[in-house]
Amino acid sequence: MLILVLGMSIAAYLAYNVWDRIQALDSAQQDHAEWVFTQIEIEFLKTDRALTEAKSATPEALDEFRKRFDIFYSRVLLAERVRNNAKAKPKIRELRALLDGFLPAIDGSDAELIAALDDIDAMLRSIEDVPREIALASIAIPASCPKTNAMRSCG
């Protein structure tokens, strides 16, 4: 009888330990999604600021704008791969499509980029609420998901 009680206790401890680790993984995935979506807004603001400086047309300002645009673009690509983004996915796709249209200017010569700056500025103005909406969608994910099984029922 003692062996049975001891065996059940060990089994219960192991089951609890495994369950706790599974919940930690769910939490880590959610934290990652929130971070990625929030980074889109942060990088949008940095890109917007760099665009203002790029209008000076100095090589340094243009290089900084290219770097900021590339980082912003990479955050959008990363957000597309996040599983838990059903609400934000259409906005992320819209954002990527708009950014894709300016890749030739970003990768082109300084003259091509300078010629496209006003169009890029107009595009950024047209989507300036989208990064905020994506970031807010990341907050809505944990609020709308039950605490247990969050990734499975809402992902």
Side-chain angles (χ1 to χ4, degrees):
M1 185 63 132
L2 180 62
I3 294 174
L4 181 63
V5 171
L6 184 61
M8 294 294 284
S9 297
I10 291 172
Y13 171 75
L14 290 175
Y16 173 78
N17 197 2
V18 168
W19 180 251
D20 190 47
R21 288 178 189 250
I22 290 171
Q23 287 183 326
L25 286 174
D26 281 348
S27 176
Q29 288 174 351
Q30 178 57 42
D31 291 346
H32 173 71
E34 290 175 23
W35 181 85
V36 168
F37 290 172
T38 303
Q39 284 301 114
I40 288 177
E41 181 179 20
I42 291 167
E43 293 305 332
F44 170 83
L45 295 172
K46 289 179 179 181
T47 301
D48 190 40
R49 187 176 318 128
L51 175 64
T52 302
E53 296 296 319
K55 290 182 179 181
S56 69
T58 65
E60 298 82 18
L62 293 173
D63 287 345
E64 178 65 18
F65 176 67
R66 282 185 173 102
K67 180 178 90 173
R68 287 286 145 210
F69 186 95
D70 286 345
I71 293 170
F72 179 46
Y73 186 81
S74 71
R75 297 292 190 232
V76 172
L77 291 178
L78 185 60
E80 277 187 317
R81 295 183 191 120
V82 172
R83 277 193 211 146
N84 206 6
N85 71 351
K87 185 175 180 182
K89 190 171 283 264
K91 293 188 181 298
I92 293 168
R93 285 186 181 145
E94 169 193 352
L95 190 55
R96 178 165 178 208
L98 291 169
L99 294 175
D100 281 346
F102 291 101
L103 290 178
I106 296 296
D107 294 337
S109 68
D110 284 355
E112 290 172 311
L113 180 57
I114 291 167
L117 288 177
D118 287 337
D119 291 336
I120 294 171
D121 187 40
M123 181 269 298
L124 291 179
R125 295 293 69 76
S126 73
I127 58 135
E128 64 188 353
D129 292 337
V130 173
R132 167 61 68 161
E133 292 169 9
I134 292 169
L136 290 175
S138 74
I139 295 169
I141 292 167
S144 65
C145 292
K147 189 168 186 164
T148 58
N149 299 323
M151 296 306 287
R152 287 180 291 280
S153 63
C154 293

